[in-house]
Every structure is written in structure tokens, then in C-alpha cells.
Amino acid sequence: MQFMLLFSRQGKLRLQKWYVPLSDKEKKKITRELVQTVLARKPKMCSFLEWRDLKIVYKRYASLYFCCAIEDQDNELITLEIIHRYVELLDKYFGSVCELDIIFNFEKAYFILDEFLLGGEAQETSKKNVLKAIEQADLLQEVRALATA
Amino acid sequence: MPAPIRLRELIRTIRTARTQAEEREMIQKECAAIRSSFREEDNTYRCRNVAKLLYMHMLGYPAHFGQLECLKLIASQKFTDKRIGYLGAMLLLDERQDVHLLMTNCIKNDLNHSTQYVQGLSLCTLGCMGSSEMCRDLAGEVEKLLKTSNSYLRKKAALCAVHVIRKVPELMEMFLPATKNLLSEKNHGVLHTSVVLLTEMCERSPDMLSHFRKLVPQLVRILKNLIMSGYSPEHDVSGISDPFLQVRILRLLRILGKGDDDSSEAMNDILAQVATNTETSKNVGNAILYETVLTIMDIKSESGLRVLAINILGRFLLNNDKNIRYVALTSLLKTVQTDHNAVQRHRSTIVDCLKDLDVSIKRRAMELSFALVNGNNIRGMMKELLYFLDSCDPDFKADCASGIFLAAEKYAPSKRWHIDTVMRVLTTAGSYVRDDSVPNLIQLITNSVEMHAYTVQRLYKALLDDISQQPLVQVASWCIGEYGDLLVSGQCEEEEPIQVSEDEVLDVLEGLLVSNLSTPVTRAYSLTAIMKLSTRFSSVNRIKKVVSIYGSSIDVELQQRAVEYNALFKKYDHMRPALLERMPIMEKTATNGPTDIAQTNGETDSTILDTKHLPSITHPASQVGRCNYHICFCLAGIPPMTAYNKNGLKIEFTFERSNPSPNIAVITIHATNSTEADMTEFVFQAAVPKTFQLQLLSPSSNVVPALNQGSVTQVIRVLNPQKQQLRMRIKLTYTHKGSPVQDLAEVNNFPPQSWQ
């Protein structure tokens, strides 16, 4: 995966995870154009589109679009499952997640994503294990100071 | 100083802004507060401030002044600080930033931290965005962690290693030892990431690939366990056990099995098993089937398995889920060359997809349909494709029209069918066809001698309906100019001949001249057509009048033609019939002929006419050299010359001046052979003195037929900026009666007008 973007139906960015090095300007340009393209799609159209030289996989969940850019050799259908798994994780963590949860707790959304994917690939295929790790990490936040290495 | 406001408070406040300006004001105020807080080196609230900064960054505001603060957070001993610090680093400190490398030491320390979640944070950051230098520095640490027994860390280290290898491919070797036991892990996370790592290594190095081939049996076993094992709640997705892992294993098997008989055989059974036993009711199952099909098609699988794969794709095509249909079409497009017959069986389903609402599906269905057209199904397929052309989006029309022309050319069952098809395309998508279709179509029509009357009649009728589509209008004008006599004499055999008078025809052509819809090129076509009719119709006076009117046209191109045609009427009337004679049959030459005379409907068309000054040259540029040369030379005003005449080989030069650049002389050589044997492998070469520049375009052929039965023509362009006397040295090589012949000659007798 090259990047993942979450944005609302009004085109407001809620999360951006880039797995390729690009300048801020390029990221903004890509985001703007891609958001426009995806928002212009009609509801009956399929979840895949070719954009520049990338394959884009997107899916709408309530008011949020989850949009991934994958490479030529990547499997589009399993990417849909990856997106779905991420949504399930968010849902389990926040309890019936909605867009507002992600707006007000964006850093947690990132933490969960970073326990699920690393460098654009899935690091853990068990839902339970991802959530357990997040839970433990959250507990660590309560500790005053960590033991040094 | 009061405590900085909390993150959620800030988010709430910013969301109350009603305008962009209001939001910007709030952001600027908060940024100022954050900046002063940073300056005070406040440890307590640094984390909160950076978090707020990250939020504002997501809204699109600059946050670079927080970069160093992220570094400080990473170095802190509080986990909360590290978490936000690393997040900030991943968002603000990519490898393009100067301070990126300052992270290296912190990351190195944290990779060895006693708390695994801290190690996890650093592994994640390194694996997402570490620069090449950073990867070089820390590869050793990653390699160490790849060998740990802690599966939480091991899986992250594996993906981190993937990133290191991508950034610094030379380091791949150092991870090799650590991969030894990766697949014996029970932990799915480690298994999955290990397979990803192995895939990366195999894709990058053929040596690694051969080395890891021995893992095929192990991979097959793991996959088998996944399929055969009972319900495992931890990894279950809609009844399928760990689909993510299954897909990655299938992909690795694909790479290992490609081009290798033994490996392919070893995985044959499991592939068949997955292909037949996987549930297809949900997307998960189909994702696995999709990957399986890709693997089967890529490795050396037996034919039974390949047919199985294509049939799966065929079933995909019938699936309600359009995502599935999409991947099916994509995959079929990849395999249509190698497994053509198998794909043909699904032709009707593919053709149905032309009617799908989704643009991507339609496009793929169209490409696939063209790939499937052959001599047997051409009529049926063309019907569907023409219907598709009628109703599809404008973006498709150009490609579809081109595809139809190509298919028609290859498989047309009859000339009439071919012409009808081309006409249909021109009338329905006339404004979208590519520029070269006009000359191609003209050539097709010219060569279908028995269809001339039918064609001109149909084109005339089409013109009566609609004169807005320029390619159609141009072809029609050309045809009427050529075959107008057939039109008025009502000779059509193929269909009911129409009754049309000379005046009506001229009305239509004159209408094109004055219409706002006509482009300048179209006008040129129709003026020339009118002129040609002067030898086919009896109403010469009317034509004379039209031609003389345009002698003062504002359009320079039209004006020039009209003036020349007028000259034809006045001074060269005796030549007019010969000049305006019917075009001979043109053979399609393999090479495209003069490359500079581009086949476009734009200005270059008028350039051809400029240089040739000849009414009948509105046909494919590739034929420029092949027209009867005795027609060409007179009008240009420069007499031809014999450049070479020896041993039965005679080479004549004829001249045109290139109007846009008067320094360029365009010479056409005509080689004829009066001996009784053909001269084959004929090559003409020329050299000019240093002050000139020469361009030799492709010859019409390399066989000079015996007994003057034909000629080889070739165009030479000579740039003569200093207007010096033209001199040339030529070299001729050919094979005659089995023996090679070579000769050199000087050409010095150029007429003065050719270079003055």
C-alpha cells in the first residue's frame, strides 16, 4: 500500500497515512485530486479505479470514505478486507464508531492503524491481538515514567 | 501562564468556526500560544501542544516548527510522550526533512528498550518512513529483533526489514540467516509478515528466489492447514480462516512456481483444492479465489487447472458484485493471449458487460471484446460493438472507433460489409475518429472498385443528413469528387439508386464551402472535389464560377487552390482531363512513406496540397510517391531531369518547392528498369556538399520491376539556405539476375529553378 486517506463526504481529511516519501506539496495535491475523483463517483460504481499509475480501492462507511492506493501486484479484493478489518477495529475500540470519534480522537485512530499495518502491510491478522496491544499500550500511558532501557 | 487548552477543547472550538477566515484566526492564535509554550521548554504540556499541532496540520496548516519538539517527545521517558512524539515524527519528519536523521539515536535506544510497546513504536516508525541512511545505521538492530522469540516484536521486525530492503537493497543478504525458522512459527502475525518478507526478497533477487524454492512444501502445508482446520475464532473471517495469510501465501507460491516445473507440480493439488473448496458467497472467499487464479495462470500449471481458473473468472463475470466483475475482466484481459480459446467460451458474458453502468467495467469489457474478435464471430461482435459505440461515453468513442476499424480491416467478411461498418462508425461517432482514418478510409474505398457507386451514394445521403462531422464530410467530398459521375448516372447495384442531378450535387459541395461547420481542411476537400467534377460533369461553367470566386478567398489555402484551378481552366485546359483522372488502385505500402507529411486533418494536409499543387492529391500521404509522376511535374513549373541512365536503370528527378520553407527543394526520384529482369534489393543513396542538408524518406519499395512495368519512387528533401548550385552524388545498389550491382554517379544537371 502506498497511502491511506480517510475523508468525509464534504472532502475534509480525517486521517492520512503515507507509506511513500513525498513532499508536503505533493501530498496535498494528491489528496485534493483524489478526494475530488472519489467524491464524484456514483454510488453504483465499483470500488476500484485507476488513477495515475496506481490502483485505488475505496469504500464508504457512513459519512467516511476509506481510500487506499495499492500497487499493481496487490490484490484489490483483499484490500477491501483490510479496510473492513480496520473499520472493525475502530468499531470495537470506540464502541459503534462514528466520524466524530475519529475527529476527536484522531491520534487513537492512528495508534490503532499502526498496530494493524506497518509499512503498508498487515502485521497482525488477529483482531483480538491488535486490540489487546492497544489496550496494554493505553494502560502504559497511566504510568508516570518508564523504566529506562 | 495558564495551562494550554486541551486537545479536544481545541478541536471543539475550531469546529465552531463558521468561515475559513474565522478558522484561520483561531488556528493562528493557538499556534502563537503553542510557539511560546515551546520556547519556554515546558515539559509537562509539550505532548498536548504537539498533539494540537498535529490536528492543525491535518487541517492543512503549517506545522514545521513542531519538528524538534517531536524529537524531544521521543526522547522523553513517558510513554504518552513517546506515542505522540513518534506519531508526530511519522507525520512531520519524513526523510526530506533536515532533522530527520536526528531521530536515529532515539530510535536505536528505543529498539532496545525494556518495554515491548516502546520497541514497537520505534520499529513502526522506522518501518514506515526511515530514510536510507537511517536504515543502514539500524539494520543490525532490526536483524537482531527478527530473531527474537517475542512474536509481537518479531512480526514488526519482519516488516521493518522489508522497508530496509526496499530502501537499501544491498542489505538484503544480512537478513538471510534470520529467515531460517520464520515459517515454523505458529503465530499468524509472524507468519504473515514473514511471507511478506520472503516475497520481497524473492522479487528482488533471483538467487534468493532459487534459495527459497525449497520452502514450497512448507508453504503448501501451512495453506492446507488453514483450509482444513476447523473453525478458529481468532482468525476467522466469514467462515474462512485467516484470508490475509492465505492470499499472501498464494502470492509467494506464484513467484516461486513461475517458470519452475517441480515447484509448480508441488503446488498443483493445493491450488486445485483452494479453487474448488473456497466459499464464494462473500468477498473474502472471492479475494482468495482471485489470488488463486492469478497464481494458476502464472505458474506452469497443467491445462485442467488452467481451465478451472478461467471458469472461475467466468463465474466471476456473472457475479452480482461489480467489484468481482471488475477483477474478472482485468484478469481475463491478462490471459486472453495465452488462453484464447478458453476465454472465448465466455465471450457472450463479456459482451454483456459492455452494457454495465460502471465506466471501468465497460472499458475492460471493450478491450476484451476487441481481443476476442476473430473471423468467425466478426459479424455478431461488430453488431454489439457498434451498438456500444452509439451509446458509450465520449471518452470511449475514439478508442472504440479505432478498434472497430482495426477489427473490420482484419476480418471483414465482404467489402460491402466493411464499407457499411466504416460508414456506420463515421455517422455515429464521426467527430471522435482518429485523424488517420480519413486517408485509410479513402484508400479502402478506392480499392473497392465494384463498390464505388454504392459508396458514393451512401456518403452523399449521409451528407444530406449531417455535415457537422468533419471526417465523414471529408471522405464524402473526396468520394463525390472522384465518383460523382456514378452518382448522377444512378448506377448503383447494391441498393436502390437515387435520383440526383449535377446541380444538386454541386449545391451540396458548395454548401460545405460556405458552412460554418466546415473546418478549413474540409473546405479544401470540397473545393478540390468540385474541381474534379469539371471533367465528370457537364456543368463546367458553374464550376468555373465557383472556382473563380474563391480566387479571392480570405483563407490563403483556398485562395491558392482556386487560383491554380483557375489557371488549369485558362492556360492548361488541355492537361485538365489527365490531371483530374480517376485515382488508380493504391496498394498499402508496408512503410508509411514520407514521414514528414503527417496524416492529420490539421494544417499539414494543406501543406501536402501546397507542395504538390495538385487537386487529386488528397489521398493517403503514404501514396505520395506512387501517383503518376508525369502528372506531378508540370504544375510545379520546374521541368524534370534525368539524373542517371545506365544499364537499363533510369532515374528521373521531379521537383516541387516546399512552400512554407522556400529553401527546401523537394525532389522525387523515379527509378525505372527497362531490362527484362527485375532489379531487387534496390537502394538509392545520396550525398550533398557541406552547405546543404539532405533528408531521404522511405522508398515506395525496393524492387524496380522489369520492362518499365512500374517504378520505385522516393522523396528527397534538400535544404539549401545559401541558395548555392545544387549538386549531388548518388550511389545505387541492387541485385540483377542474381548478381549484385553497385554504381556511383554525380548529378550536376539540376535546373536552375530547383535551387534559386
Side-chain angles (χ1 to χ4, degrees), chain B residues 132-283:
Chain B
S132 326
E133 294 88 352
M134 202 185 281
C135 287
R136 244 183 254 274
D137 284 340
L138 300 172
E141 306 296 326
V142 176
E143 198 261 343
K144 237 172 31 193
L145 288 170
L146 194 50
K147 297 195 283 221
T148 174
S149 53
N150 180 336
S151 47
Y152 177 78
L153 293 175
R154 212 171 179 201
K155 71 189 186 194
K156 290 182 195 270
L159 288 182
C160 201
V162 171
H163 179 82
V164 169
I165 292 174
R166 283 185 185 155
K167 283 303 206 185
V168 193
E170 307 90 75
L171 291 175
M172 182 161 43
E173 290 286 328
M174 76 182 278
F175 293 106
L176 189 52
T179 62
K180 239 208 304 247
N181 297 319
L182 279 178
L183 290 185
S184 4
E185 265 277 358
K186 289 274 175 272
N187 180 294
H188 281 226
V190 179
L191 271 177
H192 186 271
T193 58
S194 303
V195 173
V196 174
L197 176 58
L198 292 168
T199 307
E200 185 71 28
M201 293 168 100
C202 290
E203 275 173 346
R204 282 185 181 269
S205 154
D207 290 332
M208 292 283 183
L209 180 54
S210 345
H211 171 82
F212 285 126
R213 274 222 176 88
K214 61 178 193 269
L215 293 176
V216 170
Q218 205 172 0
L219 288 165
V220 169
R221 230 177 305 134
I222 298 173
L223 191 51
K224 195 166 189 146
N225 282 337
L226 284 173
I227 304 172
M228 307 292 273
S229 68
Y231 175 71
S232 154
E234 204 177 327
H235 299 106
D236 180 274
V237 181
S238 303
I240 296 182
S241 190
D242 207 338
F244 305 106
L245 183 55
Q246 288 194 34
V247 165
R248 281 324 290 233
I249 292 180
L250 285 163
R251 183 161 150 186
L252 181 55
L253 285 175
R254 175 155 80 245
I255 295 170
L256 295 173
K258 188 166 185 165
D260 188 271
D261 289 317
D262 291 330
S263 304
S264 300
E265 207 191 306
M267 53 181 83
N268 202 74
D269 285 346
I270 192 68
L271 289 174
Q273 208 178 349
V274 175
T276 31
N277 291 339
T278 307
E279 263 291 322
T280 58
S281 54
K282 292 260 173 79
N283 184 58

Side-chain angles (χ1 to χ4, degrees), chain B residues 370-382:
Chain B
F370 281 125
L372 290 175
V373 171
N374 62 28
N376 293 329
N377 57 35
I378 179 76
R379 282 187 193 268
M381 288 295 276
M382 199 51 84

Side-chain angles (χ1 to χ4, degrees), chain A residues 44 46-47 50 75 104 121, chain B residues 8 248 322-323 326 358:
Chain A
K44 288 293 182 180
C46 75
S47 299
E50 298 97 35
N75 182 327
F104 279 93
E121 305 281 352
Chain B
R8 325 247 178 259
R248 281 324 290 233
K322 55 178 59 58
N323 293 332
Y326 176 92
D358 185 297

Side-chain angles (χ1 to χ4, degrees), chain B residues 334-375:
Chain B
K334 286 193 207 149
T335 66
V336 71
Q337 301 303 334
T338 46
D339 295 84
H340 192 90
N341 291 332
V343 180
Q344 277 282 3
R345 258 176 253 137
H346 301 278
R347 195 180 65 242
S348 53
T349 325
I350 293 170
V351 166
D352 279 340
C353 288
L354 286 172
K355 308 194 181 79
D356 202 296
L357 294 164
D358 185 297
V359 161
S360 310
I361 291 182
K362 276 205 275 229
R363 177 167 281 281
R364 277 167 171 61
M366 179 182 83
E367 284 171 19
L368 206 44
S369 299
F370 281 125
L372 290 175
V373 171
N374 62 28

Side-chain angles (χ1 to χ4, degrees), chain B residues 468-519:
Chain B
S468 65
Q469 307 199 78
Q470 300 306 293
L472 174 64
V473 174
Q474 286 165 12
V475 173
S477 321
W478 188 92
C479 262
I480 295 174
E482 277 292 301
Y483 312 120
D485 48 323
L486 300 176
L487 186 60
V488 297
S489 64
Q491 282 181 27
C492 185
E493 283 173 6
E494 298 279 339
E495 64 174 23
E496 187 69 36
I498 57 173
Q499 308 296 330
V500 59
S501 70
E502 291 185 1
D503 277 322
E504 285 170 317
V505 173
L506 288 171
D507 282 343
V508 169
L509 287 176
E510 283 185 50
L512 295 176
L513 275 173
V514 300
S515 166
N516 285 331
L517 296 167
S518 299
T519 62

Side-chain angles (χ1 to χ4, degrees), chain B residues 293-294 296-298 306 309-310 313 328-344 368 371-372:
Chain B
V293 166
L294 290 177
I296 293 175
M297 300 317 289
D298 241 14
R306 293 182 87 84
I310 303 256
L313 292 178
L329 287 169
T330 312
S331 314
L332 283 170
L333 205 49
K334 286 193 207 149
T335 66
V336 71
Q337 301 303 334
T338 46
D339 295 84
H340 192 90
N341 291 332
V343 180
Q344 277 282 3
L368 206 44
L372 290 175

Side-chain angles (χ1 to χ4, degrees), chain B residues 426-694:
Chain B
L426 284 182
T427 45
T428 53
S431 18
Y432 298 97
V433 299
R434 297 239 159 79
D435 299 326
D436 60 0
S437 38
V438 172
N440 286 340
L441 181 53
I442 287 177
Q443 179 174 41
L444 167 67
I445 292 173
T446 310
N447 293 350
S448 315
V449 178
E450 66 280 13
M451 307 291 305
H452 285 170
Y454 170 71
T455 311
V456 68
Q457 182 162 295
R458 285 213 55 191
L459 284 169
Y460 178 77
K461 286 200 273 189
L463 267 192
L464 292 176
D465 270 337
D466 172 20
I467 61 169
S468 65
Q469 307 199 78
Q470 300 306 293
L472 174 64
V473 174
Q474 286 165 12
V475 173
S477 321
W478 188 92
C479 262
I480 295 174
E482 277 292 301
Y483 312 120
D485 48 323
L486 300 176
L487 186 60
V488 297
S489 64
Q491 282 181 27
C492 185
E493 283 173 6
E494 298 279 339
E495 64 174 23
E496 187 69 36
I498 57 173
Q499 308 296 330
V500 59
S501 70
E502 291 185 1
D503 277 322
E504 285 170 317
V505 173
L506 288 171
D507 282 343
V508 169
L509 287 176
E510 283 185 50
L512 295 176
L513 275 173
V514 300
S515 166
N516 285 331
L517 296 167
S518 299
T519 62
V521 172
T522 305
R523 292 207 179 91
Y525 268 90
S526 76
L527 184 62
T528 301
I530 293 175
M531 185 58 191
K532 282 199 236 177
L533 290 174
S534 71
T535 55
R536 294 157 174 73
F537 281 4
S538 51
S539 15
V540 182
N541 286 324
R542 175 171 176 181
I543 294 175
K544 269 194 198 165
K545 231 171 38 189
V546 174
V547 165
S548 70
I549 291 174
Y550 280 89
S552 43
S553 162
I554 306 178
D555 181 336
V556 177
E557 170 65 32
L558 275 185
Q559 189 193 110
Q560 176 155 11
R561 286 180 194 225
V563 165
E564 282 160 15
Y565 297 163
N566 252 332
L568 255 190
F569 275 123
K570 299 208 165 62
K571 279 203 283 180
Y572 299 99
D573 204 42
H574 55 285
M575 282 206 266
R576 191 164 48 87
L579 282 166
L580 303 178
E581 215 171 64
R582 271 264 208 284
M583 288 302 298
I585 297 196
M586 310 169 213
E587 279 146 40
K588 197 113 189 177
T589 50
T591 57
N592 239 356
T595 50
D596 61 316
I597 303 178
Q599 301 161 343
T600 64
N601 273 331
E603 295 85 69
T604 6
D605 247 350
S606 37
T607 316
I608 301 173
L609 297 145
D610 273 342
T611 56
K612 295 295 171 190
H613 301 263
L614 188 61
S616 51
I617 310 250
T618 51
H619 68 308
S622 58
Q623 301 308 314
V624 154
R626 305 247 322 155
C627 62
N628 293 331
Y629 63 83
H630 65 268
I631 299 174
C632 281
F633 55 76
C634 295
L635 266 195
I638 305 174
M641 59 173 266
T642 302
Y644 178 91
N645 195 350
K646 217 161 106 177
N647 298 331
L649 175 63
K650 179 165 150 193
I651 300 191
E652 290 217 1
F653 283 3
T654 59
F655 301 91
E656 290 83 41
R657 174 124 299 168
S658 172
N659 238 326
S661 7
N663 289 334
I664 297 183
V666 181
I667 306 172
T668 307
I669 72 149
H670 307 264
T672 48
N673 167 14
S674 60
T675 71
E676 341 132 330
D678 289 345
M679 292 169 178
T680 57
E681 288 160 87
F682 177 77
V683 176
F684 173 89
Q685 290 167 292
V688 287
K690 279 208 180 64
T691 49
F692 299 83
Q693 269 182 52
L694 187 72

